[in-house]
Amino acid sequence: MKSVAVLKKPKMITGVNSFECSFDAKSINESFARLLVSAFVSQLDPTVADMTDLKTAVSEAVTNCIVHAYRDREKYKNARVYLSGVYFPDGTVSITVKDKGCGIDDIKQAMEPLYTTSPSDERSGMGFTVIAGLSDKLKVSSDVGKGTTVTIEKKVFGG
Ligand SMILES: Nc1ncnc2c1ncn2[C@@H]1O[C@H](COP(=O)(O)OP(=O)(O)O)[C@@H](O)[C@H]1O
Ligand SMILES: [Mg+2]
């Protein structure tokens, strides 16, 4: 008896999809955030390069929440990172990383290459530069004393 099986790759994306979560601002959760983003974005069947870019960009933003936003651990007892994402039928992925920490008073300066407020911690000051280079769009908004929101956008298919 002859049998044939044909595996057809299912068309993954049917519309808008989104997720939202929060986790403790601990460095152990940097890899957790990367995993969450890859699980979400893999639904779009991205290239390995696009997936890596997004994970790296998100990771930099999450690290910033942990090391900068909640630097004063005494003050921020319940330090949490808020991660959310959405993708659209045109292949655009938007990931938002938010904290309720100290905020940034001069965003323009903070985004300059090599600028860091923690040189002693061996920070390179290249986080925002890396994120900008790996994404199509980077938006940073911040309120001193209230927190910072970073939105990273990247198109993973459709040009
Ligand atoms: N979420 C944040 N909350 C408060 N300050 C931040 C945050 N993200 C970035 N910053 C500020 O912007 C600076 C530059 O960030 P970045 O480019 O990632 O470099 P680095 O993390 O190496 O210092 C940081 O040194 C810090 O002062
Ligand atoms: Mg950084």
Side-chain angles (χ1 to χ4, degrees), residues 13-19 40 43-44 85-89 92 94:
I13 182 161
T14 49
V16 178
N17 191 14
S18 64
F19 80 95
F40 181 65
Q43 296 170 338
L44 300 178
V86 56
Y87 61 65
F88 301 93
T92 302
S94 177

Side-chain angles (χ1 to χ4, degrees), residues 60 64 68 127:
E60 286 291 337
N64 280 350
H68 300 301

Side-chain angles (χ1 to χ4, degrees), residues 42-67:
S42 65
Q43 296 170 338
L44 300 178
D45 195 25
T47 63
V48 173
D50 282 344
M51 174 74 101
T52 306
D53 287 356
L54 260 172
K55 282 198 305 191
T56 306
V58 169
S59 204
E60 286 291 337
V62 169
T63 303
N64 280 350
C65 300
I66 297 166
V67 303

Side-chain angles (χ1 to χ4, degrees), residues 60-61 63-70 99 101-104 109-112 115-118 122-129 131 142 147-148 150:
E60 286 291 337
T63 303
N64 280 350
C65 300
I66 297 166
V67 303
H68 300 301
Y70 300 119
D99 65 67
C102 65
I104 304 171
Q109 182 185 43
M111 291 177 79
E112 268 165 25
Y115 178 84
T116 181
T117 47
S118 315
E122 289 175 38
R123 300 272 143 213
S124 65
M126 290 301 285
F128 280 130
T129 310
I131 300 172
S142 192
T148 301
V150 173

